[in-house]
Amino acid sequence: MTAAGFFAAGPDAALAALFVPFESGELQLPANSRVLFLRARAGVRLREMAQPGWLCEQSFLPFADELGRNGLRVGEAAADEEFPLVLLLPPRQRDEARALFARALRHLAPGGTVLAAMPNAEGAKSGEADLARLSGAVQHLSKHKCRVFWSTPQPADVDHDLLAAWLALDEPRMIVDGYLSRPGLFAWDRIDRASALLVEHLPADLHGRVADLGAGYGYLSAQVVARCPRVEAIDLYEAEARALEPARLNLARAQRECGRDVAVTVRWHDVTRGLAQRYDAIVSNPPFHQGRANLPELGRAFIVSAAEALLPDGRLLLVANRHLPYEAVLASRFHDVRTLVVREGFKVIEAVGVRG
């Protein structure tokens, strides 16, 4: 239905800035070509620089797929694996970024260098200060409205107590109403208002096999289990791998609390590529942005995938920001589309009768 990697964004300024210290001669690539790149992003400069010993780690599936299509090795470093150079593009969320700095130091070989780049508008100075707290002296330069900073710490420079504390920041943690989440996920520390509105309008007669598209840490799916006793199985689809563990834990708790067994599957999957399974119902609070960019096409692609995966008499329950233009694609894919509620800037839509 959509081209592979349709929503995998191209290289950005931080990626371009990351390699400036090598161009200026301030840093040299390791002779053994072993490099770990955390939160790697595909781009022309990366293809030019990368060598066979480079390992790119990326938890967001569309970005990971794009790296693979660029011929780069994608995976996760073993717990005890060390590299003479660790590159990273830290995220905006500070706890998530601190955990990533700690992981970088954990995988750094003695005498190695950690190198990071962040946009100035997304906490670059704070990121540099955090790396300095962990590793001691840090050097930096500015390019492309980004800050590039690096450290080559001696063993005595590393604050190992702080490193352990920051590694723990990425562990699933309790947020509200007993749900577990982790920093950096969508609405990671709260119940999203749009999802809560959809939950208010979940039909109790949902039955059979249900899918949750863009499931995040599993709030919607857990509520389906709690409120819809005729649901026998639920599949959670989520492109961010870091959401999968808290989602599994939250669904296990939901089953314990309702006192019945529901077949639960949590899938690391790009919904825009379509679904292999057919469903009696689908629920979704689809994403409509990537970073700061609004992408209503992303929500429309979720709707197309849902329509293609529903059984002929299946139904889609969708929540979205009120202004998002989903009605046309819904009308083209379903015979009956109705808005159940519009409130607080959101709309809940039910669509039934998949068009052949």
Side-chain angles (χ1 to χ4, degrees):
M1 51 144 293
T2 57
F6 184 77
F7 295 108
D12 58 13
L15 179 62
L18 186 67
F19 295 107
V20 170
F22 302 107
E23 297 163 2
S24 65
E26 293 176 81
L27 290 176
Q28 301 292 324
L29 289 175
N32 66 5
S33 301
R34 282 183 49 75
V35 174
L36 175 63
F37 191 173
L38 301 176
R39 295 294 170 86
R41 293 289 301 276
V44 173
R45 197 71 184 100
L46 177 58
R47 290 198 301 272
E48 293 172 345
M49 297 286 290
Q51 299 178 32
W54 288 37
L55 175 62
C56 296
E57 183 180 302
Q58 174 56 253
S59 60
F60 185 59
L61 187 55
F63 294 168
D65 285 345
E66 183 73 3
L67 289 162
R69 285 191 296 275
N70 277 258
L72 298 157
R73 187 164 68 98
V74 183
E76 187 170 342
D80 60 349
E81 199 169 2
E82 294 183 337
F83 298 80
L85 176 64
V86 180
L87 308 175
L88 64 155
L89 297 175
R92 184 185 183 92
Q93 209 287 328
R94 196 165 189 183
D95 277 1
E96 183 186 6
R98 284 175 165 174
L100 197 67
F101 286 130
R103 284 202 59 228
L105 266 293
R106 188 183 69 179
H107 287 295
L108 190 65
T113 297
V114 171
L115 171 66
M118 297 179 71
N120 293 330
E122 297 187 5
K125 284 187 177 180
S126 295
E128 180 182 353
D130 283 342
L131 180 60
R133 288 183 63 190
L134 272 182
S135 65
V138 172
Q139 296 176 266
H140 79 268
L141 56 82
S142 295
K143 190 73 172 181
H144 305 307
K145 298 183 179 179
C146 296
R147 182 172 289 249
V148 187
F149 48 96
W150 64 93
S151 178
T152 306
Q154 298 298 314
D157 297 333
V158 177
D159 186 331
H160 291 281
D161 290 337
L162 188 62
L163 187 146
W166 283 7
L167 283 174
L169 292 175
D170 196 45
E171 293 297 321
R173 67 178 76 169
M174 197 77 70
I175 48 168
V176 294
D177 296 341
Y179 286 97
L180 295 169
S181 183
R182 65 188 349 149
L185 301 182
F186 170 70
W188 79 270
D189 58 352
R190 62 192 183 277
I191 304 298
D192 175 62
R193 289 189 300 138
S195 294
L197 185 62
L198 176 53
V199 164
E200 286 183 33
H201 294 82
L202 280 177
D205 63 347
L206 287 185
H207 63 276
R209 180 174 289 273
V210 177
D212 179 357
L213 308 187
Y217 63 78
Y219 169 74
L220 269 180
S221 291
Q223 290 294 315
V224 168
V225 170
R227 294 167 181 259
C228 306
R230 294 174 58 198
V231 169
E232 299 169 356
I234 188 161
D235 294 346
L236 288 71
Y237 291 89
E238 173 54 49
E240 175 51 64
R242 297 177 60 252
L244 304 185
E245 183 182 2
R248 290 189 185 99
L249 294 170
N250 289 327
L251 267 293
R253 180 176 70 92
Q255 290 186 84
R256 290 194 302 270
E257 291 183 351
C258 75
R260 62 190 182 91
D261 290 330
V262 178
V264 173
T265 304
V266 180
R267 304 177 187 272
W268 189 39
H269 185 77
D270 179 356
V271 168
T272 69
R273 293 175 177 268
L275 311 177
Q277 180 71 47
R278 303 298 296 277
Y279 293 97
D280 298 287
I282 290 176
V283 299
S284 185
N285 178 4
F288 64 92
H289 57 81
Q290 207 161 260
R292 293 186 172 185
N294 285 332
L295 285 175
E297 300 90 349
L298 185 51
R300 288 195 284 265
F302 270 53
I303 292 168
V304 172
S305 288
E308 292 177 349
L310 280 167
L311 294 166
D313 60 347
R315 57 179 153 173
L316 169 65
L317 290 150
L318 175 84
V319 66
N321 285 47
R322 182 177 182 175
H323 72 277
L324 290 171
Y326 293 158
E327 282 72 15
V329 67
L330 285 162
S332 72
R333 293 287 176 161
F334 295 91
H335 290 288
D336 183 13
V337 178
R338 63 192 184 107
T339 300
L340 302 182
V341 65
V342 178
R343 197 170 80 210
E344 300 178 17
F346 304 108
K347 56 189 174 185
V348 176
I349 299 171
E350 181 182 54
V352 298
V354 178
R355 294 184 183 273

